[in-house]
Amino acid sequence: MSKNVNMIGAGLVGSLLSIYLAKKGYKVNIYERRPDMRTAKISAGKSINLALSDRGWRGLEGVGIADEIRKIAIPMYGRFIHHKDSSTAFQPYGKDNQAIYSVSRAEINMRLMDLAEQKGGVEIHFNERCTNINRQTLEAQFINEETQKTSSSKSDLIFGSDGAFAASRLNMQLSSDRFEYNQHYISAGYKELIIPPGKDGAFLIEKNALHIWPRGSFMMIALPNMDGNFTCTLFLPFEGEKSFANLKTREQVKKFFDEEFPDAVPLMPTLLDDFMNNPTSSLVTVKCFPWTFDNKIGLIGDAAHAIVPFFGQGMSCGFEDCVVMNELIEKHKEDWNRIMPEYETLRKPDGDAIADLAIANFIEMRDKTADPKFLLQKKIEARFNSKYPDKWIPLYSMVTYSPHIRYSTAFKRRATPRSHHAKNYGKA
Amino acid sequence: MSKNVNMIGAGLVGSLLSIYLAKKGYKVNIYERRPDMRTAKISAGKSINLALSDRGWRGLEGVGIADEIRKIAIPMYGRFIHHKDSSTAFQPYGKDNQAIYSVSRAEINMRLMDLAEQKGGVEIHFNERCTNINRQTLEAQFINEETQKTSSSKSDLIFGSDGAFAASRLNMQLSSDRFEYNQHYISAGYKELIIPPGKDGAFLIEKNALHIWPRGSFMMIALPNMDGNFTCTLFLPFEGEKSFANLKTREQVKKFFDEEFPDAVPLMPTLLDDFMNNPTSSLVTVKCFPWTFDNKIGLIGDAAHAIVPFFGQGMSCGFEDCVVMNELIEKHKEDWNRIMPEYETLRKPDGDAIADLAIANFIEMRDKTADPKFLLQKKIEARFNSKYPDKWIPLYSMVTYSPHIRYSTAFKRRATPRSHHAKNYGKA
């Protein structure tokens, strides 16, 4: 039986999958390009905090660390809308106490690494950049980014969990015939900013909400952190009238924020410095197929399906990959010739669905959440759902609170303007 | 002024563009991965002959070699259909003597190389595989496939003309943020076979036609070569009932051909050997953007827009790229800061259009050409067009015989089942 695994990437999904595999008796070596974030002082990087919801919690529960993570997770019970005239509105995400959770990417990743090492069976090698994977021999090659030493390692199975720009996936793209690949960037980029805590770590805006400043073609959002600050993210087109291209000087930035986010500016004392210093990042969707090769190499998480962040499902989707993989290992009794094909057949439609839903949700967040009619619609939906919970579940609830409903099923069942139209006017 | 050009790839488009540039006084170094096909004995490779039509002829006329190539080009005036019951039918491609031409890929490529070297200003370096292009310094790195020696070269401009799997494009993909990239394989592959000449080089089937054996989900085609043989290409799904997967043994192949192509089998004495020995190749469409980088690096031909072969426009489209580039060089008086943006803005929609048309034409060729109704439709179209030539031109004629109509315009003007429907039932 194949018991030695090389995992490319010690991010959220690579670490979690390693724990699952170690619990099944596999010996896992993780090769991570970056230094150990638990000891090295490395920049927090992009997307400081992430949303975690039920599918993600399931992944953590499966390895017994959900309770530990819950201690550092902040529930957000709805959208807190900041209008341009500084008026506000609250839109609950679901019923009762349904929430999504704001968690620190670094915190959760470090705890997963700790757990992986503590449970035994997992060894993490840092600063090791994967330079090649030989499909025939299953030999993976690495170069150490600190020492420049090269090394190689053979294993029975290889997983690529190295993210949206995965070296593992590129290797498969170049060494496979008929590899379907698509990378698409939306026209908007993002920049992270900050609302620091008030006196004694006080949260200066509502703690238990995801804040949105919807402005039509762009928006700012803010998620709470444990220490009282909020990570703000401005999503804005790269080009055009209101765009990053037109925010080159401190004066332009100040004028733009004063006009667009008047209630936020007083809470952002380092706004101008942050804006000038922090990077402007792009937003990519990656779709590819196959996800597995020769039943011995598998892509997982962002390496298989990088998505834009607007449904808050990136991490949860990757964790769900691990849950599915774990279920298939049990179902097929570790027969990887059956696990790998079923994994990609089952998960590919779900990856495609959440990718498309995430792009669609950008429009909802930046545009529709500012519309009173939309708020009314959400209320009607919630009322309908609470009266007839078996008949109909809102799309957001299917995706966020219903891990038993596949993303692809949620995608098919969603109500769209087209389906409304079809209902009203007969079959198109 | 930028006068030194490095061209990656001495294929059809790289060679032709080099001639255009040399005529304008540029010094061009072409780096070609393969050996010199004029001296080395290398396999003819894939797609032995290609279709050439008016857009392609324009490209050759611009450098004065159309007449020379015409001598080795065989006009095909229409589709010669071979039905399963061995009956045949002829469908003219256009009016009067309108034809597409069958030419040998190797012949035309060798003549273009000759011409490039003879006219001066162009030097071709063979066996040089491009390993890296530095966007900042415009330094291109190479490894010689024979000697394993590495070298590098700086220039003012770089063109990537290295085909569907371009190293130049991969380099841009990896070094650029927000590079749009899509590679898609259709479910069918192809295998090349042969109908050899009869006595004294006689053509055993109609010489001046493109032969099609349309069989619904698959087809065989044959194009004439100067020496009397025909290159046959079987296009067949990789998987499924009738598929390459089910043609593993000589017995299976024999049975399949006897059933499907009874009139061709007696003309193919080496069929079984050829089928077992020749590779089964895949069919890719590549779409990407941008095509130019910093106004100093440009992708051209298949490197920018690889398409499937079913409209016979691959070479002609690449040659039209060269014509457009040449026109823009004149229009903008060699100001590459204006040439490059206009090149990609102008040509990208045309590349997308012919890519989509090529995929659509597979269905027409393999399926509809067998249908008597389709033949009738083609006749009505031709009649209508000959009566009202200013009112309406059939899609095939727009693409093949009307270089003044852009591919993207032809795509928009094409009649589709949907547009017929819209005409009949009002706006959808």
Side-chain angles (χ1 to χ4, degrees):
Chain A
M1 200 170 291
S2 306
K3 282 291 192 182
N4 281 301
V5 177
N6 279 344
M7 183 79 54
I8 317 296
L12 297 163
V13 173
S15 299
L16 181 62
L17 180 61
S18 297
I19 299 170
Y20 274 108
L21 289 170
K23 284 181 78 171
K24 293 262 179 289
Y26 288 77
K27 170 86 189 83
V28 184
N29 281 285
I30 313 183
Y31 294 85
E32 166 59 42
R33 189 173 51 81
R34 292 172 304 174
D36 188 347
M37 64 166 80
R38 295 166 300 182
T39 53
K41 184 79 191 161
I42 54 172
S43 84
K46 296 169 190 172
S47 55
I48 293 155
N49 46 19
L50 298 170
L52 184 59
S53 58
D54 287 16
R55 291 169 206 272
W57 286 117
R58 274 183 78 203
L60 297 174
E61 280 156 11
V63 296
I65 60 162
D67 288 342
E68 197 184 339
I69 299 299
R70 233 177 273 276
K71 292 175 200 157
I72 55 165
I74 301 174
M76 302 181 287
Y77 296 105
R79 293 163 168 166
F80 198 102
I81 307 297
H82 299 250
H83 294 291
K84 207 168 164 175
D85 64 2
S86 294
S87 67
T88 60
F90 182 75
Q91 301 173 1
Y93 271 132
K95 23 185 194 180
D96 310 327
N97 274 328
Q98 282 182 332
I100 60 174
Y101 293 78
S102 173
V103 294
S104 152
R105 174 197 286 269
E107 279 292 337
I108 193 166
N109 203 349
M110 289 189 287
R111 301 212 181 189
L112 285 170
M113 285 180 186
D114 282 346
L115 194 67
E117 289 179 338
Q118 285 159 14
K119 296 250 166 177
V122 180
E123 197 175 338
I124 313 180
H125 311 268
F126 292 96
N127 300 305
E128 296 287 346
R129 181 164 63 81
C130 179
T131 54
N132 192 49
I133 295 171
N134 187 317
R135 270 188 67 167
Q136 275 68 48
T137 62
L138 290 190
E139 187 169 10
Q141 294 183 310
F142 304 94
I143 184 164
N144 188 292
E145 298 267 45
E146 277 202 328
T147 63
Q148 303 303 316
K149 271 191 195 153
T150 58
S151 63
S152 73
S153 171
K154 268 191 180 183
S155 56
D156 304 311
L157 297 168
I158 299 176
F159 286 99
S161 56
D162 42 349
F165 301 98
S168 62
R169 186 188 61 228
L170 177 64
N171 241 280
M172 292 305 106
Q173 181 187 335
L174 298 179
S175 63
S176 308
D177 189 25
R178 304 182 69 211
F179 185 68
E180 295 285 308
Y181 182 71
N182 187 32
Q183 62 180 46
H184 168 64
Y185 290 84
I186 62 170
S187 55
Y190 72 94
K191 191 184 279 283
E192 290 188 329
L193 303 163
I194 192 169
I195 293 177
K199 251 189 190 168
D200 306 321
F203 289 85
L204 291 183
I205 50 178
E206 169 57 42
K207 174 185 177 186
N208 294 114
L210 189 151
H211 295 263
I212 311 180
W213 288 257
R215 295 297 180 265
S217 64
F218 61 96
M219 68 174 176
M220 186 165 73
I221 67 169
L223 273 74
N225 295 309
M226 291 296 286
D227 61 2
N229 74 46
F230 287 82
T231 307
C232 303
T233 310
L234 173 66
F235 294 97
L236 183 69
F238 280 100
E239 309 289 337
E241 194 202 329
K242 309 242 171 158
S243 72
F244 282 112
N246 282 339
L247 296 179
K248 292 288 185 208
T249 68
R250 297 172 79 93
E251 291 67 36
Q252 288 169 332
V253 174
K254 181 159 183 3
K255 183 158 178 286
F256 175 77
F257 272 78
D258 283 344
E259 270 177 32
E260 300 293 345
F261 312 119
D263 63 332
V265 171
L267 310 176
M268 302 172 83
T270 56
L271 169 63
L272 296 181
D273 285 341
D274 293 345
F275 196 97
M276 303 313 280
N277 296 334
N278 293 356
T280 307
S281 304
S282 54
L283 293 157
V284 73
T285 301
V286 173
K287 292 182 179 176
C288 68
F289 200 78
W291 289 1
T292 73
F293 307 85
D294 314 319
N295 299 332
K296 291 181 186 305
I297 304 174
L299 303 176
I300 196 160
D302 284 1
H305 48 69
I307 63 179
V308 294
F310 304 109
F311 223 117
Q313 286 290 314
M315 174 167 58
S316 293
C317 177
F319 285 180
E320 195 176 55
D321 286 346
C322 300
V323 171
V324 168
M325 189 70 81
N326 189 53
E327 286 170 355
L328 293 175
I329 293 171
E330 287 171 5
K331 176 179 173 187
H332 294 303
K333 301 188 174 59
E334 303 189 34
D335 179 352
W336 290 93
N337 289 324
R338 304 179 76 177
I339 296 166
M340 290 289 198
E342 188 165 346
Y343 160 67
E344 65 177 12
T345 306
L346 196 62
R347 286 300 282 173
K348 169 66 175 165
D350 293 331
D352 284 349
I354 192 61
D356 294 346
L357 290 171
I359 285 184
N361 219 42
F362 184 30
I363 295 159
E364 176 161 326
M365 286 178 82
R366 77 183 184 194
D367 201 346
K368 294 195 194 157
T369 57
D371 184 350
K373 277 187 200 157
F374 177 80
L375 186 54
L376 180 63
Q377 183 197 325
K378 287 281 153 183
K379 277 186 185 161
I380 293 168
E381 285 182 6
R383 183 77 57 87
F384 188 88
N385 175 239
S386 73
K387 274 200 166 180
Y388 309 103
D390 301 331
K391 296 244 185 231
W392 186 76
I393 307 171
L395 173 62
Y396 191 89
S397 297
M398 284 194 284
V399 169
T400 309
Y401 307 119
S402 313
H404 57 285
I405 299 176
R406 293 176 56 183
Y407 286 131
S408 53
T409 306
F411 185 84
K412 277 180 221 134
R413 283 196 204 156
R414 82 199 185 285
T416 63
R418 183 177 292 268
S419 63
H420 284 304
H421 186 274
K423 257 177 242 160
N424 293 338
Y425 303 103
K427 281 180 188 174
Chain B
M1 201 171 288
S2 305
K3 284 290 192 181
N4 281 302
V5 176
N6 279 343
M7 182 80 54
I8 316 296
L12 297 162
V13 174
S15 299
L16 181 62
L17 180 61
S18 297
I19 300 171
Y20 274 108
L21 290 170
K23 284 183 77 170
K24 293 261 181 292
Y26 288 77
K27 171 84 188 84
V28 183
N29 281 285
I30 312 184
Y31 295 86
E32 166 59 41
R33 187 173 52 83
R34 291 172 304 172
D36 188 347
M37 64 167 81
R38 294 166 301 181
T39 54
K41 185 76 192 159
I42 55 172
S43 83
K46 296 170 190 171
S47 55
I48 291 156
N49 46 20
L50 299 170
L52 184 59
S53 58
D54 288 18
R55 291 169 204 271
W57 286 116
R58 275 183 77 203
L60 297 175
E61 281 156 9
V63 296
I65 59 161
D67 288 342
E68 198 185 339
I69 299 297
R70 232 177 275 277
K71 291 175 201 157
I72 54 164
I74 301 174
M76 301 181 287
Y77 297 106
R79 293 164 169 166
F80 198 103
I81 307 298
H82 299 250
H83 295 292
K84 208 168 162 175
D85 63 4
S86 294
S87 67
T88 60
F90 181 75
Q91 301 173 1
Y93 270 134
K95 24 184 193 180
D96 311 328
N97 274 327
Q98 282 182 333
I100 60 172
Y101 292 79
S102 173
V103 294
S104 151
R105 175 198 284 268
E107 280 292 337
I108 193 166
N109 205 153
M110 289 190 286
R111 301 211 181 190
L112 286 169
M113 285 181 185
D114 283 345
L115 194 69
E117 289 179 338
Q118 285 158 14
K119 296 247 167 181
V122 180
E123 199 175 337
I124 313 180
H125 311 267
F126 291 96
N127 300 305
E128 297 286 347
R129 182 164 62 82
C130 178
T131 54
N132 192 49
I133 294 172
N134 187 318
R135 271 187 65 167
Q136 276 68 48
T137 62
L138 290 190
E139 188 169 8
Q141 293 183 311
F142 305 94
I143 185 164
N144 188 292
E145 298 267 44
E146 278 202 328
T147 64
Q148 302 302 317
K149 270 190 193 153
T150 58
S151 63
S152 72
S153 170
K154 268 191 179 183
S155 56
D156 304 311
L157 297 167
I158 298 176
F159 285 99
S161 55
D162 43 348
F165 300 98
S168 61
R169 186 189 61 229
L170 177 63
N171 241 280
M172 293 304 106
Q173 181 187 334
L174 298 178
S175 63
S176 307
D177 189 24
R178 302 182 70 211
F179 185 68
E180 294 285 308
Y181 182 72
N182 187 30
Q183 64 180 44
H184 168 65
Y185 290 84
I186 62 171
S187 56
Y190 71 95
K191 190 184 282 283
E192 291 189 327
L193 302 163
I194 192 169
I195 294 178
K199 251 189 190 171
D200 305 321
F203 289 85
L204 290 183
I205 50 178
E206 169 58 40
K207 174 185 178 185
N208 293 115
L210 190 150
H211 294 264
I212 310 180
W213 288 258
R215 295 296 181 266
S217 64
F218 62 97
M219 69 174 173
M220 185 166 73
I221 67 169
L223 275 73
N225 295 307
M226 290 297 285
D227 61 2
N229 74 47
F230 287 81
T231 308
C232 303
T233 311
L234 173 66
F235 295 96
L236 183 70
F238 281 99
E239 308 290 336
E241 194 202 330
K242 309 243 172 160
S243 71
F244 283 112
N246 282 340
L247 296 180
K248 293 287 185 209
T249 68
R250 297 171 80 93
E251 291 65 38
Q252 288 169 331
V253 174
K254 181 156 182 8
K255 181 157 179 286
F256 175 78
F257 272 78
D258 283 344
E259 270 177 32
E260 299 293 344
F261 314 118
D263 63 333
V265 170
L267 309 175
M268 303 172 82
T270 56
L271 169 64
L272 295 181
D273 285 340
D274 293 345
F275 195 97
M276 302 314 280
N277 296 333
N278 293 355
T280 306
S281 304
S282 55
L283 293 157
V284 72
T285 300
V286 174
K287 292 181 180 177
C288 68
F289 201 78
W291 289 2
T292 73
F293 306 85
D294 314 319
N295 299 332
K296 292 182 186 303
I297 304 173
L299 303 176
I300 195 159
D302 284 2
H305 48 69
I307 63 179
V308 294
F310 304 109
F311 223 118
Q313 286 291 313
M315 174 167 57
S316 292
C317 177
F319 285 0
E320 195 176 55
D321 286 346
C322 300
V323 172
V324 168
M325 189 71 81
N326 189 54
E327 286 170 357
L328 294 175
I329 292 171
E330 288 170 6
K331 176 180 173 186
H332 294 303
K333 301 187 173 60
E334 302 188 34
D335 179 352
W336 289 94
N337 289 323
R338 306 178 76 177
I339 296 165
M340 289 290 200
E342 188 166 345
Y343 160 68
E344 66 177 13
T345 306
L346 196 62
R347 285 300 282 174
K348 171 65 175 166
D350 293 332
D352 285 348
I354 192 60
D356 294 345
L357 289 171
I359 285 183
N361 219 42
F362 184 30
I363 296 159
E364 176 161 325
M365 287 179 81
R366 76 182 186 196
D367 202 347
K368 293 196 193 156
T369 58
D371 184 351
K373 277 188 201 155
F374 178 79
L375 186 54
L376 179 64
Q377 184 197 325
K378 287 280 152 183
K379 277 186 184 160
I380 293 168
E381 285 180 6
R383 183 79 57 85
F384 188 89
N385 174 239
S386 72
K387 274 199 169 181
Y388 312 102
D390 301 332
K391 297 247 185 228
W392 185 76
I393 307 172
L395 173 63
Y396 191 88
S397 299
M398 284 195 284
V399 169
T400 308
Y401 307 120
S402 315
H404 56 286
I405 299 175
R406 293 175 56 183
Y407 286 131
S408 52
T409 306
F411 185 84
K412 276 180 221 135
R413 284 197 203 155
R414 82 198 184 285
T416 64
R418 182 177 291 268
S419 63
H420 285 303
H421 185 274
K423 257 177 241 161
N424 293 339
Y425 304 102
K427 283 179 187 172

